[in-house]
Amino acid sequence: VDLLGGEALSTSTKKQNEHRNQTLAPSTFLRWCPLTITFVLNMLSSLKAMKAAGLSGLIVFRNLSSVMIAIIEYRYKNIPISKESSLCIFLTVMGSALFASRDFKNSVDAWFWCLSNMCLTVAYDLLIRYLVKNHPLTLQGQQFYHCILSSPVLVFMAKTNGEMRLESLKGLQMLSVASKLAIFGSIVLGFCISSTALHLSKLVSATSFSVLKNTNKIAVILINIIWIDGLPSMAGFLGLIVSLAGGIMYGYIRIEESKREK
């Protein structure tokens, strides 16, 4: 029994070493490092867009990322777009345009950061789908490139923005227990979101992955309207509803089409 146990332990150790060597191999680094860069830029553009356009504006433009991915998959992977899907895409685009025309006004910053975040979201969704499918790593390896490797970059950005000053760090110590628990909870949830996203990207198309990510933002928008920013203009609110409805309908149609194809 001891011999069998020792052999099993040796095999487990050997697999761990193989996975570690695969994760840190130069070829793996060159393939996965762009994901780290895209992830960091996506986070930065999200924060900037949220500050310039508000949470609702950011989510409306992120909703357009599903449209862009569908067009890219149609152009380069020959994935057809049905008439029903085309109608939903039209509603999503028109609703987003109506929201932006009324609530962005002449804010160059809002337009720039929302469009940048939309493009980075498309790049991120397509890249993570490609890497997980064609150059898979263990969950630990994926987390290394997706989260751990990005941490030094984010710390550097925080230091550059003055967020690592002694006064700022002291301010964290003075936060209430509830605020500290909320920060810790966001760390745990962030890890869970990252892990499930990496696993989900293996199971669905890039378009479905993008639609699922954007659909769950409905609850976020409702909370934002009720407790944070309040209602946008009437035209902006109508555009918001139309854009989200188009995104949800598109996701439902894509899922049904996938079932029929199987």
Side-chain angles (χ1 to χ4, degrees), residues 64 67 81 83-98 242-243 246-247 250:
L64 288 175
V67 175
I81 301 176
K83 293 181 180 179
E84 294 83 0
S85 296
S86 299
L87 175 61
C88 295
I89 288 174
F90 175 77
L91 290 175
T92 303
V93 172
M94 289 299 100
S96 300
L98 179 60
V242 171
S243 176
Y250 178 76

Side-chain angles (χ1 to χ4, degrees), residues 138-244:
T138 62
L139 180 60
Q140 292 80 7
Q142 292 174 17
Q143 289 290 359
F144 173 77
Y145 286 101
H146 194 253
C147 298
I148 297 174
L149 200 61
S150 64
S151 298
V153 183
L154 295 173
V155 170
F156 173 77
M157 290 168 56
K159 186 172 179 60
T160 303
N161 293 332
E163 297 173 20
M164 301 294 289
R165 290 178 300 181
L166 185 60
E167 296 81 3
S168 300
L169 296 176
K170 286 182 177 179
L172 291 176
Q173 294 179 351
M174 297 174 62
L175 291 175
S176 65
V177 175
S179 298
K180 292 178 180 177
L181 287 174
I183 293 174
F184 178 75
S186 69
I187 295 172
V188 175
L189 288 174
F191 176 81
C192 294
I193 291 171
S194 174
S195 301
T196 54
L198 289 167
H199 181 67
L200 177 64
S201 61
K202 297 180 183 178
L203 307 176
V204 298
S205 70
T207 302
S208 300
F209 181 71
S210 180
V211 168
L212 288 169
K213 279 205 316 177
N214 293 330
T215 302
N216 65 20
K217 300 297 188 298
I218 296 175
V220 178
I221 286 181
L222 291 176
I223 293 172
N224 178 66
I225 289 175
I226 295 171
W227 281 295
I228 303 175
D229 289 341
L231 279 171
S233 66
M234 287 304 297
F237 183 70
L238 177 62
L240 177 66
I241 296 298
V242 171
S243 176
L244 290 176

Side-chain angles (χ1 to χ4, degrees), residues 82-121:
S82 65
K83 293 181 180 179
E84 294 83 0
S85 296
S86 299
L87 175 61
C88 295
I89 288 174
F90 175 77
L91 290 175
T92 303
V93 172
M94 289 299 100
S96 300
L98 179 60
F99 177 89
S101 66
R102 294 298 180 179
D103 281 64
F104 278 20
K105 298 181 171 58
N106 296 318
S107 175
V108 176
D109 283 349
W111 279 101
F112 174 79
W113 287 113
C114 283
L115 288 172
S116 298
N117 182 253
M118 178 182 66
C119 294
L120 286 165
T121 300

Side-chain angles (χ1 to χ4, degrees), residues 23-34:
T23 300
L24 300 177
S27 58
T28 303
F29 181 84
L30 290 175
R31 291 189 187 105
W32 279 80
C33 194

Side-chain angles (χ1 to χ4, degrees), residues 8 44 75 159 182:
L44 174 63
R75 177 67 178 81
K159 186 172 179 60

